[in-house]
Amino acid sequence: MSPDSARSVVVVAELRQGELAPVTWELLACARRIAPAAGLALYAVVLGQAVQEAAGRLAAAGAAVTALQGPGLALYNGQAWREVLAQALPSLRPAIVLAAHTTQGLDFAPGLAVRLGAACLTGVERVAVQDGRLLFGRPAWHSKAVAQYAAAAPLSVLTVQPGAFAAEAPAADQAAGSLEVRPAAPLAGSVRFLGLRRAAEQSADLTQAQVVVAAGRGIGKPENLALVQRLAACFSSAAVAGSRPVCDAGWLDYSRQVGITGATVSPQLYIACGISGARQHTAGMQGAGFIVAISLDPQAAIFNLADLCIVEDLTLFIPAFLAECTSAPA
Amino acid sequence: MKILVCVKQVCEPETAFSFEASRPWLRQPATVRYQMNSFDEYALEGALLLKEGLPGVGLDALSVGPARAATVLQRAQGMGADRAIHILSQDEPEALALATWIAAWARAQDYHLILCGAMSQDAMQGLVGPMLAELLGLPLATSVVKLELRPGQAAIYVERELEGGWRDCLELPLPAVLTIQSGINRPRYPSLSNLLRAKQTKPHTLEATALPAAPARLELVAVDPPQRTRAGRRLEGDIQDKARQLAAILRERALL
Ligand SMILES: Cc1cc2nc3c(=O)[nH]c(=O)nc-3n(C[C@H](O)[C@H](O)[C@H](O)COP(=O)(O)OP(=O)(O)OC[C@H]3O[C@@H](n4cnc5c(N)ncnc54)[C@H](O)[C@@H]3O)c2cc1C
Ligand SMILES: Nc1ncnc2c1ncn2[C@@H]1O[C@H](COP(=O)(O)O)[C@@H](O)[C@H]1O
């Protein structure tokens, strides 16, 4: 890896309602880890209709920022994002493009990579330099292993898992980066964007409960929800939650779902019953004070972030625990 | 109207892997059970619902994989797919290679709609559908939780699931590629009569090596066990012992 200051790592900022989404700062932290190790310059691009303020904040944190502004970019739109980025990125000579592993990043990044002839990896959680090469790690094989890849192409487009890199406050002596505003006018695409719609409300008792007992696909059938409910009843302030498949099956209401497309909870105690531990779920509960996981699968990924691991059949274990609670009070 | 659904055969999530110090790094047990990627069941059901609502819909299910992938195609036909297409490939190729092969098949078929799952359960990449759309130059919607054909079938209305309970509402001209999110419907079980018929018909089979190849853009350098972020203490003993220990630990921490 020869230091090649002409090449760069480019962060594609993500905005929510015109503001920089928190994950953007995590992308910047990831880029800061990569840039010096690989001898790359650090750039950021911000797309939108009026993004000068957001772009200015990124520049103040030290990135050289290109704001791509135009009326066609008011709301996220995959066709426009791919087109504008494919046009703008080559002039920044990227070796690595970092987007967020969100519904937005996942929507534009793979197609952008194809257009740019780039390698593409999604859900990246680790970066490392080994023998002069950058390695990117992501979960694979049902999240039971971490696969480490090196790019075999001059450019890599990555989506970075939110939460994997901690946002850093800029150093006190951080010099501000440059800010260039470029007009961008994507062609009128064939897809009609009809606006956003709010579909689900979250239930407050779930996010406020001190104990959350969550049922996963491993409960097997809806009848076993009663077991999970009885387990929850052992605690004074407990709510029952579920993983997505349990809600998809209609066994629990979607307002009870924990994860990236459900609620984020941080109770004192989280008990995962029959949940394998996919990132989309654990992102919503990894902040819990104490995590107990019950699964039949000794390799289930949930055990990697649990404080206590119980390899048992929940339909047998929960009754055993209930008997223990009623027969032997403290 | 012709619809293509891409279905992947995955090993069941409970598969016990063992780690090795060198290639292939990860070993599967001798006997592994396989199943249809759960997201693809939703995609297939979505296509079946369209087919039931509209006369003259032809539904193809396609899978890339070794000979064993034929069973996932049988299941797709058992659920109601009309035809099965099997692209035979021995090893697990990169997403771009998969998308390139599927695109090579799809180009000659004039599908109106191509459905993929939002991700594969095992690899969780979310790459094949969006790459396929790009290679075919077709409009794309990812993470679709609602779909409705517009009258005349020149366009489709979809809602994409976003974070925080929001949905993005779009109308795509056909042909288009959609990736389907779980929960959009309730996938049916295969019917016995369909399954029997599927077992008697052979899938249309193509050799991946005879299809255009994509350049390798990634090199798998190592496979590591996942890192622990917490103590991960395993309770030992019989089930009663474990229940007793759990109660004691929770009481000690004033959680119970
Ligand atoms: C864009 C996107 C967003 C998503 N958002 C979310 C989200 O917000 N929340 C969410 O949860 N998921 C979400 N998912 C789905 C996620 O990827 C996983 O598919 C899901 O979390 C798996 O749920 P599970 O662990 O209950 O099921 P599985 O992965 O099937 O795991 C079941 C577990 O139960 C164990 N088990 C089986 N039987 C028993 C038994 N008798 N006793 C004990 N254990 C048993 C198994 O060994 C296994 O470990 C999302 C996916 C996508 C693509
Ligand atoms: N081997 C395969 N054969 C057929 N379709 C596949 C295959 N791999 C992935 N797909 C499709 O692409 C989707 C996303 O997979 P992935 O990009 O691996 O997350 C899956 O839900 C399938 O619809």
Side-chain angles (χ1 to χ4, degrees):
Chain A
M1 177 179 46
S2 61
D4 179 359
S5 57
R7 299 204 68 200
S8 65
V9 44
V10 181
V11 165
V12 182
E14 183 157 320
L15 302 181
R16 295 252 164 91
Q17 279 103 44
E19 300 281 323
L20 289 172
V23 68
T24 302
W25 299 108
E26 300 176 10
L27 296 178
L28 200 63
C30 176
R32 277 198 207 290
R33 185 116 30 116
I34 293 173
L40 301 170
L42 200 166
Y43 295 124
V45 296
V46 190
L47 281 72
Q49 184 166 27
V51 292
Q52 233 163 323
E53 207 186 298
R57 240 169 299 132
L58 269 177
V65 183
T66 305
L68 299 160
Q69 287 201 139
L73 301 172
L75 279 178
Y76 173 74
N77 152 359
Q79 276 183 340
W81 253 241
R82 280 186 291 273
E83 181 193 327
V84 168
L85 285 169
Q87 263 172 28
L89 285 173
S91 70
L92 302 176
R93 304 204 56 222
I96 294 160
V97 174
L98 301 178
H101 190 61
T102 55
T103 54
Q104 184 170 319
L106 263 173
D107 189 63
F108 74 76
L112 178 67
V114 171
R115 224 173 269 197
L116 296 174
C120 191
L121 280 175
T122 54
V124 171
E125 298 190 337
R126 285 196 215 162
V127 294
V129 181
Q130 197 183 65
D131 304 330
R133 279 209 299 184
L134 269 174
L135 300 187
F136 307 111
R138 68 180 302 276
W141 294 283
H142 296 285
S143 307
K144 289 181 171 183
V146 178
Q148 305 254 32
Y149 293 93
L155 171 62
S156 306
V157 175
L158 314 177
T159 68
V160 176
Q161 178 68 41
F165 296 86
E168 295 161 359
D173 59 351
Q174 177 68 60
S178 58
L179 170 56
E180 185 198 347
V181 181
R182 285 194 215 163
L187 299 170
S190 59
V191 176
R192 285 179 57 208
F193 289 81
L194 307 171
L196 297 179
R197 189 168 87 71
R198 183 128 196 116
E201 296 300 330
Q202 288 168 7
S203 61
D205 73 312
L206 192 56
T207 44
Q208 280 159 21
Q210 279 161 26
V211 177
V212 173
V213 183
R217 202 192 322 246
I219 67 166
K221 49 184 180 186
E223 292 74 30
N224 286 335
L225 257 185
L227 277 178
V228 175
Q229 272 148 355
R230 284 172 58 205
L231 177 57
C234 295
F235 305 91
S236 56
S237 157
V240 170
S243 67
R244 184 166 181 130
V246 170
C247 301
D248 285 339
W251 300 346
L252 278 177
D253 189 76
Y254 276 113
S255 62
R256 309 257 119 215
Q257 183 188 310
V258 168
I260 54 162
T261 47
T264 300
V265 298
S266 43
Q268 289 169 14
L269 171 63
Y270 190 90
I271 308 184
C273 309
I275 293 178
S276 66
R279 289 296 185 277
Q280 292 87 6
H281 182 80
T282 58
M285 46 66 76
Q286 62 200 4
F290 195 72
I291 298 174
V292 177
I294 309 164
S295 170
L296 261 179
D297 180 358
Q299 281 186 343
I302 190 81
F303 289 141
N304 299 320
L305 54 108
D307 296 282
L308 272 189
C309 310
I310 301 166
V311 182
E312 284 293 346
D313 184 335
L314 66 91
T315 61
L316 304 174
F317 181 78
I318 295 177
F321 179 78
L322 293 173
E324 192 57 42
C325 288
T326 45
S327 71
Chain B
M1 175 159 187
K2 282 174 76 176
I3 306 180
L4 176 69
V5 181
C6 299
V7 293
K8 179 178 181 182
Q9 186 181 50
V10 298
C11 63
E12 64 172 8
E14 286 78 14
T15 306
F17 298 103
S18 51
F19 292 89
E20 315 233 325
S22 58
R23 243 167 252 278
W25 292 298
L26 200 64
R27 216 170 266 287
Q28 292 187 346
T31 52
V32 176
R33 284 198 301 214
Y34 291 94
Q35 61 192 40
M36 185 184 290
N37 177 34
S38 63
F39 293 92
D40 302 345
E41 293 182 359
Y42 291 97
L44 201 49
E45 179 65 35
L48 288 165
L49 292 173
L50 290 177
K51 180 175 152 77
E52 283 165 1
L54 203 71
V57 171
L59 172 51
D60 290 357
L62 178 152
S63 192
V64 183
R68 61 171 157 77
T71 55
V72 84
L73 288 169
Q74 276 171 10
R75 185 176 174 97
Q77 286 182 294
M79 286 172 71
D82 300 306
R83 280 205 305 173
I85 294 102
H86 188 168
I87 299 181
L88 263 173
S89 149
Q90 289 321 313
D91 36 35
E92 205 160 304
E94 261 181 55
L96 182 64
L98 278 168
T100 304
W101 296 335
I102 300 173
W105 164 261
R107 253 185 220 111
Q109 302 294 318
D110 53 67
Y111 291 112
H112 298 82
L113 200 54
I114 300 180
L115 305 185
C116 286
M119 346 187 118
S120 51
Q121 270 174 291
D122 53 348
M124 295 202 305
Q125 306 179 99
L127 287 178
V128 174
M131 286 183 160
L132 188 55
E134 187 66 32
L135 293 170
L136 294 171
L138 296 180
L140 164 76
T142 52
S143 235
V144 168
V145 283
K146 180 175 180 162
L147 56 88
E148 257 168 35
L149 275 179
R150 290 298 200 211
Q153 294 118 51
I156 190 162
Y157 169 81
V158 305
E159 294 183 3
R160 297 182 56 220
E161 185 181 45
L162 308 181
E163 288 83 4
W166 288 93
R167 289 184 179 186
D168 199 357
C169 309
L170 332 168
E171 193 177 277
L172 286 77
L174 297 186
V177 176
L178 310 180
T179 77
I180 305 297
Q181 173 62 301
S182 69
I184 186 173
N185 52 42
R186 299 273 158 81
R188 68 194 67 187
Y189 288 99
S191 81
L192 200 58
S193 57
N194 280 345
L195 270 179
L196 288 175
R197 202 170 327 127
K199 284 201 174 131
Q200 278 155 16
T201 59
K202 275 212 156 55
H204 182 83
T205 303
L206 297 90
E207 289 288 343
T209 46
L211 294 170
R217 292 193 178 152
L218 289 165
E219 186 194 334
L220 181 63
V221 177
V223 178
D224 302 329
Q227 267 167 351
R228 290 241 159 81
T229 56
R230 299 206 184 197
R233 176 174 159 203
R234 291 200 180 217
L235 296 186
E236 304 291 343
D238 68 17
I239 195 164
Q240 260 74 33
D241 293 335
K242 289 180 187 171
R244 217 169 294 133
Q245 291 175 64
L246 176 61
I249 292 167
L250 294 182
R251 285 196 183 108
E252 206 174 287
R253 299 184 155 256
L255 291 166
L256 185 66

